[in-house]
Every structure is written in C-alpha cells, then in structure tokens.
Amino acid sequence: MTTRSSTGRDRLAYLPYLIPGLLLFTGVIGAPFLMNIGTSFTDWAGVGTPKWVGLDNYRELATDGEFWASFRNNVLVIVGMAIVPTMIGLVLASALTDLIDRHFGPRAASVLRACIYLPQVLPIVIAGIVWSWLLAPENGAVNDLLGAIGLGSLAHDWLGDPATALWSVMGVMVWIQIGFPLVIFMSGLQRVDPSLYEAAEIDGASWAQRFWHVTIPQIRPELFVVLLWTTIAALKAFPHIFVLTRGGPGGATNVPSYYSYVNFFEKTDVGYGSAIATVMTLIILALTVAFLRLQGREPGEER
C-alpha cells in the first residue's frame, strides 16, 4: 500500500512541469481547434454575427466535386511527400551506411548526407520560387537543358499544363523531402549491430539481401515514424501548392488545405473553410491512431 501511494505522489510531483506545456497546447492548438469546429456549423463571412446552419456545410462538402477532386490530388501528394521519399531515403541510408561508410569512411558518408539533406533546410517558399524559375516555359533551365542536349521537342510548360502540373509539383516535393527520411534512417542504423551485416556478408548475402533481411527489420520503428510524419505533412501540404501553382491550372493541383484557404480568405466562406479543415484534422487524427497501433504491434502478430 505504501509503495502504491509513494508511486502516486511521485507521478503528481511531475504535474507542475507539465502545466506550461498544457497551457501552451490549449492556447495554440486546443482552443483554436474547438473554435474551428464551432465555426464549421455556421455561415460566416469572417465579420458580423455567424449564422448557425448546423450540418449544412458538411452536407455540401459530401457532394462537393471540387473538394473530392482536391482529395484525390492529395492522395498523389502523399506519394510525392511520403511514399517515394521514404523508399528513396531508405535505400540511400542503407547505401551510405553499408557501402560508402565502410569503403570510403564516415566523412564521405556525412558529406553526402549533408548534400542530400540541404533541400530540407531551405524555406519551402524559397525552394518553390527557385523551382518555378527552373520549370518556367520560357527561359526555364529545364527546357533550356533539354534544348541543349537535343531534346528540345520535350520542352514543356510543366506547371501550366493540367496533364503535368501535379506531377511536376510531386517531383519538387520528392526533392525537398528526401533528406528527412535519410537522416532518420541513418540515425536508426547507428544502433544496428554491425555483426549482423558481417554475418550476412560471410554467408554470401548481397547488398540487396542485407538491405531486405537486415536493414528493414532493424529500423522498423523509424520506418513507422517517417511514414507517419511525412503522411501528415502531405495532408497539410500548402506552401508548395501556393508558391508553385496556386491550385491551378484548372484545379489540377488543388488540395484540401489550399481549398480550405481559398474558402477562408478568397471566397470569405469561413464556415465552409472550417468544415474542410475539421474533416482533414479528423482524417489526420485517425491515421495517427492507426499508425501508432501498427507500430505497437510486433512483427507477425495476428490482428
């Protein structure tokens, strides 16, 4: 009994240290989120008195073709910001750790890691402006390069054509995002016992076999963290779209976060914009719970 009461007192002793973080969370995240939910049940232009409309905004959202088109675009954005960078980052991290580090030394691996991570350090707005210059239809570096190597027929208005705009934005997202999973995976590989690689190499395993049977199982926790973090970032993607295409051409690169912004500030339909933001927040929370449950499950464990 004494042990339980002392344990309870020990836990309460930490409570004062949690209060500042709890207050900050309430003021910055909790209260605005609750206000956003309340606003989503109103018809409001941002000024004056909101008019209560109940679930009308959500009913409209359910039949809004533009919203669902933006949601489909967001699925492709997840590919560009989460799946592809995670796959490339995993392969690069394994190559830098298992090949470059062992054969050329840790300094060479660190230099290459820093070079790959550099786009992650750049402000997204700056990176977006630079890429808009590179992909410009006239005097853009990409089209000029194609012309210089005899492929001028492939020159294109990459961001202005609905058929290529979203793919071009996804390419920029991949370039920006690769550094994050690379650094996380290389950090995770530092705790892997080198004897596992040595034993696999003695048994005649190739680099690909060591990657599949040693690297991936050993950094499973980091893999879940990276996928969760990048998927959430993809669902919230806004500055990439805002800087590069403004959702165009013809809505080809529109995503829910940008669509919410348009309703908030351009159409001044704050209630509808709040409904979009609320739905996306609930989707992010549901994905977070699902990822955490999968992460806590042991490999091979039955559902």
Side-chain angles (χ1 to χ4, degrees):
M1 192 71 178
T2 305
T3 304
R4 290 184 178 179
S5 60
S6 61
T7 302
R9 286 195 299 269
D10 291 340
R11 291 178 177 176
L12 290 175
Y14 292 105
L15 185 59
Y17 300 98
L18 300 178
I19 292 176
L22 181 61
L23 291 175
L24 186 63
F25 175 84
T26 302
V28 176
I29 298 178
F33 178 57
L34 293 176
M35 292 174 62
N36 183 82
I37 293 177
T39 305
S40 69
F41 295 107
T42 67
D43 180 10
W44 189 37
V47 294
T49 303
K51 177 184 176 182
W52 182 265
V53 295
L55 295 174
D56 286 358
N57 288 324
Y58 293 96
R59 293 192 187 98
E60 182 181 351
L61 193 61
T63 58
D64 187 350
E66 190 171 354
F67 169 75
W68 290 110
S70 71
F71 195 81
R72 288 192 295 271
N73 291 338
N74 215 155
V75 174
L76 290 176
V77 170
I78 291 175
V79 174
M81 285 191 69
I83 298 176
V84 173
T86 298
M87 294 172 60
I88 296 176
L90 183 58
V91 173
L92 289 176
S94 181
L96 290 177
T97 303
D98 193 23
L99 294 178
I100 303 300
D101 194 342
R102 293 175 58 192
H103 293 88
F104 299 97
R107 178 168 296 182
S110 297
V111 170
L112 290 173
R113 178 182 61 191
C115 292
I116 297 172
Y117 187 74
L118 182 60
Q120 188 76 196
V121 179
L122 293 175
I124 294 178
V125 173
I126 301 300
I129 292 174
V130 171
W131 273 101
S132 66
W133 292 342
L134 295 175
L135 297 172
E138 297 180 3
N139 301 321
V142 173
N143 286 340
D144 287 348
L145 178 61
L146 290 174
I149 61 176
L151 297 175
S153 59
L154 298 179
H156 196 70
D157 186 1
W158 302 100
L159 296 174
D161 186 347
T164 58
L166 185 58
W167 297 103
S168 300
V169 172
M170 288 170 58
V172 175
M173 289 177 171
V174 171
W175 177 79
I176 293 174
Q177 199 72 14
I178 286 177
F180 173 71
L182 172 68
V183 170
I184 298 298
F185 291 145
M186 288 191 72
S187 299
L189 287 171
Q190 298 303 311
R191 62 177 176 77
V192 179
D193 189 351
S195 63
L196 294 175
Y197 290 105
E198 294 172 3
E201 192 170 7
I202 291 173
D203 289 341
S206 63
W207 177 83
Q209 290 173 324
R210 296 196 301 271
F211 170 76
W212 185 256
H213 295 287
V214 178
T215 299
I216 293 180
Q218 290 296 316
I219 62 171
R220 184 172 176 268
E222 286 80 5
L223 188 59
F224 274 102
V225 169
V226 168
L227 282 173
L228 174 60
W229 191 277
T230 53
T231 300
I232 291 174
L235 289 170
K236 299 190 301 180
F238 172 80
H240 317 75
I241 304 299
F242 182 82
V243 175
L244 288 169
T245 62
R246 298 289 181 102
T253 59
N254 195 16
V255 293
S257 59
Y258 185 78
Y259 189 44
S260 177
Y261 162 83
V262 169
N263 281 277
F264 261 105
F265 299 104
E266 295 184 8
K267 297 181 179 180
T268 62
D269 191 350
V270 177
Y272 194 61
S274 298
I276 298 171
T278 300
V279 169
M280 296 307 299
T281 302
L282 295 177
I283 290 174
I284 290 173
L285 289 175
L287 283 175
T288 302
V289 171
F291 267 102
L292 292 176
R293 292 190 65 180
L294 286 172
Q295 185 179 7
R297 183 181 300 162
E298 294 295 330
E301 181 181 345
E302 294 184 1
R303 296 179 181 177

